Amino acid sequence: MKKTYDVTGMSCSACSAAIERSVRKLDGLEQCDVNLLANKMTVSFDENQLSSETIMQTVEQAGYHAEEHGAPTAPVKAAAAENPMEKQMKTMKNHLIISVVFMLPLFYLSMGHMMGWPLPSFFLGHANTMNFALTQFLLCLPIVIVNGHYFTHGFKNLWRRSPNMDSLIAIGSAAAIIYGIIALYEIGMGLGTMDMTKVHSWAMDMYFETSAMILTLITLGKYLETRSKGKTSEAIAKLIDLAPKTAWVRRGEDFTEIPVEEVRPGDHIRVKPGQSVPVDGVIVQGSAAFDESAITGESIPVERTIGEKIIGATVNKSGVVEMEATLVGEDTTLSQIIRLVEEASSSKAPIAKLADKVSGVFVPVVITIAIAAAVIWLALGESISFAVSIGIAVLVISCPCALGLATPTAIMVGTGKGAENGILIKSGEALETAHSLQTVILDKTGTVTTGKPEVVEVVVLGESESALLNTALSLEIVSEHPLAEAIVRYAKQQNASAKPIEQFENIAGQGVSATIDNQPAAAGNLKMMQAMGLADAQIEELHHQAASQGRTPLFIVQNGAILGMIAVADTIKPTSRAAAAELKRMGIDVVLLTGDNPQVAQAIAQQAGIDKVIAEVLPSDKQQVVSQVQAEGRKVAMIGDGINDAPALAQADVGIAIGAGTDVAIESADIVLMKSDLWDAVTAIKLSKAVLRNIKQNLFWALIYNSIGIPLAAGVFIPMLGWKLNPMFGAAAMSLSSVSVVSNALRLKLFSSPRPNEPSEATSAPALQTTVKKIEPITKGEKNMTKTMIINGMACAHCKARVEAALKAVAGVDNAEVTLEEKKAVVSCSQPVEDSALIQAATDAGYEVVSVA
């Protein structure tokens, strides 16, 4: 079982590491990922060994609070409930305002005498030193109280031996406050003994302003960080906001507006122009254009009509439709997208393990360094005030926030950016792995090609194209052959008209035949033409030319004459060639994998600009092909859309499913391309590279910052350069480091992978344009012409001899051979012979001529 929990109380990566360590000790746990940025924990566990309650109790025992994450797809509830990030930001803003209000006079008072600023007389002079000191203490108290959570969480986690960022802040601030309180007592004793030197010395080193400034700057940094973190999850918030809150559902004879969560499968819903589709469903009445850009990223509205699916949260741009709900609640496409994006944002990339390992030991090491630095400076003869300042500076500059935010911020922005472009990335691991791909294996049908056959060539052998298309439409409009739909669609576009047919017959493996206007007609392949005796050299040549280009040729026959050929092919998608070219430019090998014969596969590969082809691969062998490439040490992506692609998608290092494909393929994949466009695979890989580059930048600067900051704070540069870090500047630097890491991750929002709008001939598939040509048939008037006659009524050898004799008697006929089984007579002519003369000769002999060709 896999569950997501909302976790509160975390402040740095040490917190997330502590929770993961605690939960991973539980029996029955399979995986645990804690996302500091999203304040979420994703856990996979065996429900027979481990319960959700036990997991939450373990988190509580670690010093944090966890509760099961509510359904993100209930839009009404989501809208009603206050966003946790906004609530946190509002609280921090209030704390920041209070802190600044008291911090400003405290800073003015504590630093005024040093800067020469005017101060009221009751703060000046030795006699008023206690006023001066107590006022600072009283101004510091509200700041400490309003930011008390740093102390409660920090010391609690320190007591549990899992110190975090709050622990560092708590120790540093508490040390400054305790030192200041000690100073108050020393000032009091100095005044009592009239030791003005002692009074003046302690009055200058109270550190109340240091503690207050540290807390104020940390709160300012956390506020800015929270605001930035809120921007990283904007994509999810936008997706949730897309879901309509109500739906107009048929209740009896009328439509009633109800909350969308009350819609049930089977309900009939009315959607007017301008309204959003409330749930997934099928149109049962009307048609309209729908803007699906929010789901697929495709900006052009798509026409949908009766029987076609429409997706929840898409917008009706024209026409009123009535739909039947099929998927509601958490089953809708939008809900699944939100779930996938949230899971991906919460998941960890392998590179994040580096930060986790460092963070796990970072805070204890920092505390040790701070204590050691203070002790060493005391041993070197420096004052307690100097040593305390060094220790506080080390503590506050070393908070590992930047380190903990480096990876999750980039992943959250990256997955959100992918969702905006119709690319669903299911995990941080997939996002990271995609940047190192070396080979991309492409399924052919539905991936490189449209998966929808189209008429690509028409060859007219008869009198006219219209006669050819009219006959083709009449035959194919009632056919169930997969290619028939393409021919019917094209013929209708050319305004062809279907005629009534009789005696329709579907001949397996060959084609169809029928009677049109009392004349025999047929549509079929070369095998059918051979069976009918019509396959001369010209027809065979047309067949081979079409087949060599990956096309399926169908010949249209009427009254014993071939009217022409219609070639149908599965055309490649407009951007497939551009995508293949871009992948090769990126240094990635592109392989076409298909179950088709090599001739068709090579033709498609040539059109798509793919060099390597693996053809005639059984569905069960696709996974093996992926394994073979992986065995060569290469990182492999498999892109496919069918059920037979699912094992290969699962086997690949990154499985990429075409969004229009089957649910099984999508479930097996790591990345889903909602627009079913191969160019989006290029975009996904480029996005992966951008995210990994961003993560490495974040980790580099976070580690470099701490590597330089800690020695500076510890006073390593004092002997050589005289550099000493004031704790207040350390707090400011620590806060800004976290903000800078999140801001750097937000640059990913500028990522783009421009789609080839006007692709060149070299990089894009040419637009589909059906070729129409008319050629003269090699028939009448040519030497050694052969005619084939279908003759009924022949029953024995005598019939055979009688027909042959009758035909040979016709002027111009050299020879005539009759085949009784096929009722066929092949006539060889040395000069033009009219069909009517041959028909008349056979008829006079007492037989019926069916056709002459």
Side-chain angles (χ1 to χ4, degrees):
M1 176 180 286
K2 189 175 185 179
K3 280 195 175 183
T4 301
Y5 300 85
D6 293 316
V7 180
T8 55
M10 295 190 295
S11 57
C12 70
S13 54
C15 299
S16 59
I19 294 172
E20 286 183 358
R21 282 197 304 270
S22 300
V23 176
R24 283 174 179 168
K25 293 176 183 177
L26 297 172
D27 294 332
L29 187 86
E30 296 169 1
Q31 186 177 0
C32 174
D33 286 324
V34 178
N35 188 314
L36 171 66
L37 181 66
N39 293 318
K40 284 184 174 60
M41 175 177 69
T42 304
V43 180
S44 297
F45 59 95
D46 183 351
E47 56 185 329
N48 295 322
Q49 299 182 54
L50 186 61
S51 66
S52 185
E53 289 72 20
T54 303
I55 293 172
M56 290 188 286
Q57 288 172 7
T58 303
V59 175
E60 295 281 349
Q61 291 167 4
Y64 307 89
H65 176 71
E67 59 184 29
E68 288 190 28
H69 180 58
T73 53
V76 176
K77 294 179 182 177
E82 188 173 12
N83 188 316
M85 195 72 75
E86 290 179 1
K87 184 178 180 181
Q88 184 181 359
M89 193 159 57
K90 190 183 296 183
T91 302
M92 284 188 174
K93 185 177 181 180
N94 292 335
H95 289 178
L96 179 61
I97 291 171
I98 294 171
S99 299
V100 170
V101 166
F102 287 94
M103 181 64 238
L104 291 176
L106 173 57
F107 184 79
Y108 185 92
L109 180 61
S110 62
M111 304 297 291
H113 63 285
M114 296 172 57
M115 307 298 294
W117 297 335
L119 290 172
S121 58
F122 56 83
F123 289 132
L124 302 174
H126 293 306
N128 294 316
T129 301
M130 188 55 76
N131 293 345
F132 177 74
L134 274 174
T135 303
Q136 289 187 50
F137 175 64
L138 292 174
L139 286 171
C140 178
L141 272 181
I143 300 173
V144 172
I145 292 169
V146 80
N147 294 294
H149 59 279
Y150 291 122
F151 299 94
T152 55
H153 292 160
F155 287 119
K156 186 187 294 182
N157 287 301
L158 187 64
W159 178 258
R160 290 192 171 105
R161 290 183 295 180
S162 58
N164 61 358
M165 185 202 79
D166 289 346
S167 302
L168 298 180
I169 296 170
I171 295 171
S173 299
I177 294 168
I178 292 170
Y179 188 87
I181 292 173
I182 292 172
L184 282 176
Y185 281 98
E186 292 289 347
I187 290 169
M189 288 187 286
L191 288 173
T193 59
M194 298 303 292
D195 185 350
M196 293 303 142
T197 303
K198 181 177 182 179
V199 169
H200 179 74
S201 174
W202 282 100
M204 296 300 100
D205 287 321
M206 285 187 293
Y207 284 112
F208 287 127
E209 81 285 354
T210 298
S211 176
M213 184 65 80
I214 288 172
L215 293 170
T216 302
L217 288 174
I218 294 294
T219 303
L220 172 62
K222 279 290 181 185
Y223 172 70
L224 295 175
E225 179 188 311
T226 305
R227 281 189 63 182
S228 299
K229 284 161 67 176
K231 291 180 181 179
T232 64
S233 57
E234 280 179 357
I236 297 174
K238 286 178 181 177
L239 285 171
I240 292 174
D241 289 340
L242 285 174
K245 310 300 183 289
T246 60
W248 287 88
V249 180
R250 183 185 291 279
R251 292 289 183 261
E253 296 297 322
D254 299 321
F255 285 91
T256 304
E257 189 175 21
I258 64 172
V260 74
E261 61 264 28
E262 294 180 13
V263 176
R264 296 291 178 264
D267 282 347
H268 280 224
I269 303 167
R270 184 174 61 194
V271 184
K272 295 181 179 179
Q275 292 181 342
S276 295
V277 179
V279 295
D280 291 9
V282 177
I283 296 177
V284 294
Q285 185 176 325
S287 63
F290 290 86
D291 180 358
E292 299 180 351
S293 58
I295 303 297
T296 66
E298 185 61 63
S299 58
I300 301 174
V302 180
E303 289 286 341
R304 301 291 184 201
T305 187
I306 294 174
E308 294 187 320
K309 294 180 181 178
I310 50 176
I311 305 171
T314 57
V315 180
N316 182 355
K317 305 297 288 185
S318 63
V320 179
V321 298
E322 184 176 328
M323 61 174 285
E324 181 180 329
T326 55
L327 298 174
V328 301
E330 295 186 8
D331 295 327
T332 63
T333 301
L334 176 65
S335 299
Q336 292 178 37
I337 290 174
I338 293 172
R339 177 177 56 79
L340 286 175
V341 175
E342 283 198 326
E343 286 182 0
S345 300
S346 301
S347 65
K348 288 189 176 179
I351 197 172
K353 294 175 183 177
L354 169 65
D356 288 345
K357 288 178 181 178
V358 174
S359 300
V361 297
F362 194 81
V363 176
V365 169
V366 166
I367 294 173
T368 303
I369 292 174
I371 295 172
V375 170
I376 289 171
W377 282 110
L378 280 173
L380 292 174
E382 294 291 341
S383 65
I384 294 177
S385 172
F386 183 92
V388 168
S389 174
I390 289 289
I392 293 172
V394 172
L395 289 170
V396 297
I397 202 172
S398 306
C399 298
C401 292
L403 194 63
L405 292 170
T407 301
T409 49
I411 289 177
M412 181 169 279
V413 177
T415 51
K417 191 67 181 177
E420 287 178 15
N421 288 276
I423 302 168
L424 301 184
I425 302 165
K426 291 187 177 182
S427 68
E429 183 176 359
L431 186 61
E432 178 177 339
T433 306
H435 91 285
S436 58
L437 290 172
Q438 297 164 296
T439 301
V440 171
I441 299 176
L442 306 173
D443 175 51
K444 181 180 75 69
T445 306
T447 302
V448 175
T449 66
T450 61
K452 187 178 181 181
E454 299 286 350
V455 173
V456 294
E457 183 181 19
V458 176
V459 177
V460 182
L461 292 169
E463 295 180 0
S464 67
E465 181 186 359
S466 61
L468 168 65
L469 295 180
N470 289 343
T471 302
L473 178 61
S474 304
L475 291 167
E476 299 291 2
I477 200 167
V478 292
S479 172
E480 296 179 355
H481 193 277
L483 302 181
E485 184 181 346
I487 295 174
V488 169
R489 186 166 55 248
Y490 175 79
K492 286 183 176 179
Q493 289 171 355
Q494 303 304 311
N495 298 318
S497 57
K499 297 180 180 180
I501 64 172
E502 297 176 353
Q503 301 175 2
F504 178 83
E505 183 182 0
N506 189 346
I507 303 171
Q510 294 187 19
V512 295
S513 66
T515 300
I516 303 175
D517 292 336
N518 297 319
Q519 294 178 338
N525 54 22
L526 179 64
K527 190 175 180 181
M528 176 180 260
M529 297 304 103
Q530 290 171 338
M532 295 177 67
L534 302 177
D536 56 22
Q538 184 183 38
I539 298 303
E540 291 184 355
E541 179 62 22
L542 286 172
H543 167 83
H544 292 308
Q545 283 181 356
S548 66
Q549 295 176 296
R551 300 170 177 178
T552 301
L554 292 175
F555 298 94
I556 311 301
V557 178
Q558 187 167 13
N559 197 27
I562 298 181
L563 301 180
M565 179 194 76
I566 299 177
V568 180
D570 185 5
T571 57
I572 72 170
K573 295 178 180 178
T575 57
S576 290
R577 187 177 178 86
E582 185 66 11
L583 288 171
K584 288 193 287 186
R585 190 195 65 77
M586 294 162 64
I588 299 173
D589 290 342
V590 183
V591 180
L592 183 67
L593 184 66
T594 177
D596 269 342
N597 64 68
Q599 199 174 32
V600 173
Q602 285 291 350
I604 293 295
Q606 186 176 6
Q607 292 176 49
I610 300 172
D611 301 323
K612 188 173 181 180
V613 178
I614 303 176
E616 294 183 331
V617 178
L618 295 174
S620 57
D621 294 337
K622 289 187 177 182
Q623 180 183 6
Q624 187 177 352
V625 172
V626 174
S627 299
Q628 287 171 352
V629 179
Q630 288 174 322
E632 298 172 5
R634 303 182 69 82
K635 286 289 180 74
V636 180
M638 173 69 194
I639 307 180
D641 72 329
I643 291 176
N644 54 31
D645 297 324
L649 291 172
Q651 175 67 40
D653 296 285
V654 179
I656 303 177
I658 295 294
T662 64
D663 292 339
V664 176
I666 292 172
E667 194 65 31
S668 304
D670 302 299
I671 299 174
V672 180
L673 310 180
M674 295 297 291
K675 287 199 290 285
S676 301
D677 191 332
L678 203 54
W679 182 262
D680 286 339
V682 174
T683 302
I685 295 172
K686 287 184 176 180
L687 179 62
S688 170
K689 290 179 182 290
V691 169
L692 260 291
R693 187 164 55 247
N694 194 280
I695 289 174
K696 289 175 181 177
Q697 290 169 354
N698 288 346
L699 287 174
F700 173 79
W701 288 113
L703 291 168
I704 287 294
Y705 162 80
N706 282 301
S707 300
I708 296 173
I710 293 176
L712 177 63
V716 170
F717 299 107
I718 292 176
M720 296 177 288
L721 303 172
W723 292 353
K724 180 180 181 294
L725 185 68
N726 186 298
M728 289 185 287
F729 292 111
M734 188 281 289
S735 297
L736 289 175
S737 70
S738 299
V739 174
S740 65
V741 163
V742 178
S743 299
N744 185 49
L746 287 173
R747 288 193 308 110
L748 287 168
K749 284 181 170 285
L750 302 176
F751 169 84
S752 65
S753 176
R755 192 174 298 277
N757 293 325
E758 295 182 1
S760 66
E761 184 180 348
T763 60
S764 179
L768 175 63
Q769 187 171 359
T770 305
T771 303
V772 180
K773 59 185 178 181
K774 189 176 190 305
I775 63 176
E776 291 300 324
I778 303 174
T779 53
K780 302 172 185 177
E782 297 202 6
K783 275 196 171 185
N784 299 319
M785 184 181 68
T786 301
K787 290 178 177 284
T788 302
M789 302 176 66
I790 304 299
I791 303 173
N792 285 337
M794 297 185 297
C796 64
H798 294 291
C799 297
K800 177 177 180 293
R802 192 176 297 115
V803 171
E804 286 177 349
L807 293 174
K808 288 177 183 179
V810 177
V813 174
D814 286 342
N815 190 31
E817 292 183 5
V818 173
T819 305
L820 286 176
E821 292 77 12
E822 296 178 4
K823 300 180 180 179
K824 181 173 68 175
V826 179
V827 181
S828 299
C829 307
S830 59
Q831 63 186 51
V833 177
E834 293 295 332
D835 291 348
S836 58
L838 296 174
I839 294 172
Q840 186 64 47
T843 303
D844 291 342
Y847 301 92
E848 178 188 1
V849 178
V850 175
S851 65
V852 179

